[in-house]
């Protein structure tokens, strides 16, 4: 992969040694260029606005502004940027809050380097990446909760919209959804945008959560394609 094809990344963590370690792993893979670093959420927003990275790798717990609040503001500022949240442990609340804030990935800080690289690549490609065990705990909990109030009733969706959302939330790639429905990938993408608009949902990860909470799928499949 040439430098022009490398994925640009902003690293956000309040510990300099952690930032250096993450940079070494990412750049050592030959797949990424780290364009900047920040030590808290406020600094991350300023850096992201200037650098416009494709992916932000960000710690959940930081001084001044934590990663979840920063992720939420970052998604409003740069909705096409992907965010991978890091934490010392995959706690359910942190996973749910991160996905609801717009994060596309959630990874434990001390995951093996190869797992970390793969996760960031997946997120850069438009997939939702959450640790398997965390997924099981989180979505088991979500199934017992009420639907998002902003989402509205399932009856708002047409049969085609429900089918498209079910396939998407089950981890089916856009191309396969298009084949099943006999339409173009652009039509699939537009259908999902229309669903988001109907339900008042801003991000694809939150759309997946809505589908789980409202019984369209029993669980989530890691690696959801958002392209």
């Amino acid at each position: 992969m040439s430098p022009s094809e490398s994925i640009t990344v902003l690293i956000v963590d309040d510990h300099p040694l952690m930032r250096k370690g993450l940079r070494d792993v990412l750049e050592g893979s030959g797949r990424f260029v780290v364009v900047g670093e920040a030590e808290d959420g406020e600094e991350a927003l300023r850096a992201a606005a200037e650098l416009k990275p494709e992916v932000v790798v960000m710690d959940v717990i930081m001084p001044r502004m934590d990663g979840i609040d920063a992720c939420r503001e970052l998604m409003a500022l740069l909705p096409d940027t992907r965010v991978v949240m890091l934490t010392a442990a995959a706690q359910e609340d942190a996973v749910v809050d991160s996905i609801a804030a717009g994060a596309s990935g959630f990874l434990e800080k001390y995951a093996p380097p190869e797992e970390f690289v793969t996760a960031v690549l997946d997120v850069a490609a438009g997939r939702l990446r959450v640790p398997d065990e965390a997924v099981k705990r989180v979505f088991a909990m979500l199934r017992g909760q009420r639907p998002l109030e902003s989402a509205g009733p399932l009856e708002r969706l047409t049969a085609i919209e429900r089918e498209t959302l079910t396939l998407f939330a089950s981890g089916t790639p856009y191309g396969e959804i298009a084949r099943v429905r006999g339409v173009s990938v652009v039509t699939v993408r537009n259908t999902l945008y229309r669903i988001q608009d109907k339900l008042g949902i801003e991000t694809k990860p939150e759309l997946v959560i809505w589908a789980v909470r409202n019984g369209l799928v029993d669980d989530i499949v890691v690696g959801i394609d958002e392209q």
Side-chain angles (χ1 to χ4, degrees), residues 12-215:
V12 186
D13 195 289
D14 55 326
H15 297 290
L17 285 177
M18 178 59 68
R19 294 199 302 272
K20 182 180 184 305
L22 295 174
R23 175 187 285 268
D24 289 347
V25 169
L26 291 172
E27 294 190 332
S29 72
R31 307 297 299 273
F32 306 94
V33 172
V34 177
V35 294
E37 298 181 9
E39 62 180 21
D40 60 53
E42 292 182 359
E43 188 176 319
L45 292 174
R46 291 193 295 269
E50 177 184 353
L51 300 169
K52 296 180 173 55
E54 295 170 80
V55 179
V56 175
V57 175
M58 183 155 51
D59 192 9
V60 170
I61 301 174
M62 296 183 294
R64 294 208 293 178
M65 178 185 286
D66 67 27
I68 292 171
D69 287 341
C71 179
R72 189 174 295 109
E73 294 197 23
L74 180 62
M75 288 296 94
L77 179 67
L78 298 170
D80 292 332
T81 296
R82 310 292 183 182
V83 178
V84 178
M85 303 297 291
L86 300 177
T87 187
Q91 298 175 336
E92 288 93 338
D93 288 347
V95 176
V96 173
D97 290 345
S98 294
I99 295 175
S104 296
F106 190 95
L107 196 66
E108 294 189 30
K109 265 188 178 182
Y110 303 105
E114 60 274 15
E115 181 181 343
F116 177 65
V117 168
T118 299
V120 181
L121 285 171
D122 282 348
V123 167
R127 299 181 180 90
L128 183 65
R129 176 67 185 248
V130 182
D132 292 347
E133 288 306 311
V135 167
K136 293 175 184 177
R137 294 197 303 269
V138 170
F139 285 92
M141 177 179 66
L142 289 178
R143 284 195 293 272
Q145 295 181 354
R146 294 174 58 192
L148 295 172
E149 292 184 3
S150 63
L154 185 61
E155 289 71 24
R156 287 189 185 183
L157 303 183
T158 66
I160 289 175
E161 288 168 345
R162 287 197 297 271
E163 177 189 22
T164 301
L165 178 53
T166 300
L167 290 168
F168 173 74
S170 300
T172 308
Y174 277 23
E176 180 63 17
I177 297 174
R179 189 193 66 76
V180 170
R181 285 191 49 202
V183 297
S184 69
V185 170
V186 171
T187 298
V188 172
R189 188 177 291 115
N190 288 340
T191 300
L192 288 169
Y193 284 140
R194 186 169 63 250
I195 293 169
Q196 287 181 246
D197 185 60
K198 277 188 176 184
L199 301 179
I201 292 174
E202 296 183 358
T203 68
K204 292 295 191 301
E206 190 175 359
L207 189 61
V208 174
I209 291 177
W210 188 93
V212 173
R213 287 182 174 178
N214 285 272

